[in-house]
Amino acid sequence: MLPRHVTTRAAVALGCVSGVLLAVSAFLAGALPGGDPGPGLRLGGFGAVPASFLAGLLCWLAGMTGWTAAWWQLGRLLPRAHAPTLPLEQHRGSMEHGRARDAGVALTAGRVLLIGAAWAAPLLFAPPLGSRDVYAYACQGWLWRAGVDPYALGVADGGCPWSAAVPELWWHTPTPYGPAAVVLSGAVTWLGGLLGALGGLRLLALAALALLAATLPTVARACGVPSLPPTGSPCSPPDRRPRPLRRPQRHRGRRPHRHRPRPGRDPRPTTPRSR
């Protein structure tokens, strides 16, 4: 858990370093196309795998921990949707005001998207991390492009040249996905080889993420969920600027005027006589 005094720049830097560690773990202990780098882990434990595989597991653990801590810290800097909008002077001297002021300066919707892109950029050039299913997607697309029905045959039965990289579960199992997914998987196989198909599938994933980023704020506002503004400060919108603090006026050189009763009158309040 990050301490409260960690700034936004430190959290962003931690997320970038964590992304690099995850990319390194993908090369050492990820789902490589040549096969499982640690096949003896399930039966023989950590003693049956090479030291590089263990180093990859440590990098993965450190990277995921760093990502979680950095994202949690940025979440604490975001403005709270349930927090009341109060004048700025009522927050002076509090840590919440300091975090809100930092969030208003550094965290807008556009900058949050840029931070996420910077964190995930190293993974674009790394092999898959924990699943080999992407190789099955590429093979199923190759079957469709070759004129083989992927709904009738598995990737090994259809003669896909990349079947060795596919998990054995999909060797003799037809695809369970819809026609649109199969057509898109077949389109990326034109890029050339297994690496070209993987790159095309990642481009499709990036296009889907961009579509989500563009449409999700509109859907959130339609559902009544507040979102960050695209630019500017989320804590001090232009239509509600904080007013300066007014201090009580002090009387210098004289005392404040007090009401004095006139001579000849009883200063005590009078009550009506009871009949």
Side-chain angles (χ1 to χ4, degrees):
M1 183 177 63
L2 292 176
R4 292 185 176 182
H5 65 272
V6 176
T7 60
T8 305
R9 292 182 179 180
V12 173
L14 177 61
C16 292
V17 173
S18 301
V20 174
L21 290 176
L22 289 175
V24 173
S25 69
F27 283 100
L28 297 178
L32 300 176
D36 190 358
L41 179 63
R42 296 183 178 180
L43 299 178
F46 293 106
V49 294
S52 59
F53 184 83
L54 296 178
L57 290 181
L58 292 178
C59 290
W60 176 85
L61 181 60
M64 290 302 299
T65 303
W67 258 11
T68 303
W71 187 249
W72 176 81
Q73 175 66 14
L74 290 181
R76 293 176 66 245
L77 294 174
L78 293 175
R80 299 295 187 267
H82 60 273
T85 306
L86 300 176
L88 186 62
E89 60 268 12
Q90 297 187 17
H91 294 282
R92 293 187 181 275
S94 63
M95 297 182 63
E96 288 293 335
H97 164 63
R99 289 197 296 269
R101 180 179 57 188
D102 293 340
V105 173
L107 292 182
T108 59
R111 290 179 179 177
V112 168
L113 292 177
L114 290 178
I115 291 172
W119 289 3
L123 297 178
L124 293 177
F125 308 97
L129 270 173
S131 175
R132 312 179 66 85
D133 290 348
V134 65
Y135 304 122
Y137 306 154
C139 265
Q140 291 163 2
W142 184 92
L143 293 181
W144 175 81
R145 189 173 64 87
V148 181
D149 187 4
Y151 295 101
L153 298 175
V155 295
D157 301 331
C160 178
W162 313 317
S163 300
V166 180
E168 297 182 4
L169 174 65
W170 300 107
W171 282 4
H172 310 287
T173 304
T175 177
Y177 305 105
V182 174
V183 171
L184 291 176
S185 300
V188 299
T189 57
W190 287 96
L191 298 178
L194 180 59
L195 295 181
L198 295 181
L201 290 174
R202 289 196 173 180
L203 291 178
L204 292 177
L206 289 177
L209 288 176
L211 184 61
L212 283 176
T215 58
L216 191 58
T218 303
V219 176
R221 287 191 295 267
C223 297
V225 179
S227 58
L228 289 177
T231 57
S233 171
C235 298
S236 299
D239 57 347
R240 190 165 185 172
R241 298 179 180 178
R243 298 179 179 179
L245 178 63
R246 295 183 178 180
R247 297 182 179 180
Q249 299 180 358
R250 298 180 179 180
H251 299 272
R252 299 180 180 180
R254 61 177 182 177
R255 296 181 178 179
H257 175 73
R258 295 181 180 179
H259 176 72
R260 296 181 180 180
R262 296 181 181 180
R265 293 187 178 182
D266 190 359
R268 294 175 298 180
T270 58
T271 56
R273 298 180 180 179
S274 60
R275 299 181 179 178

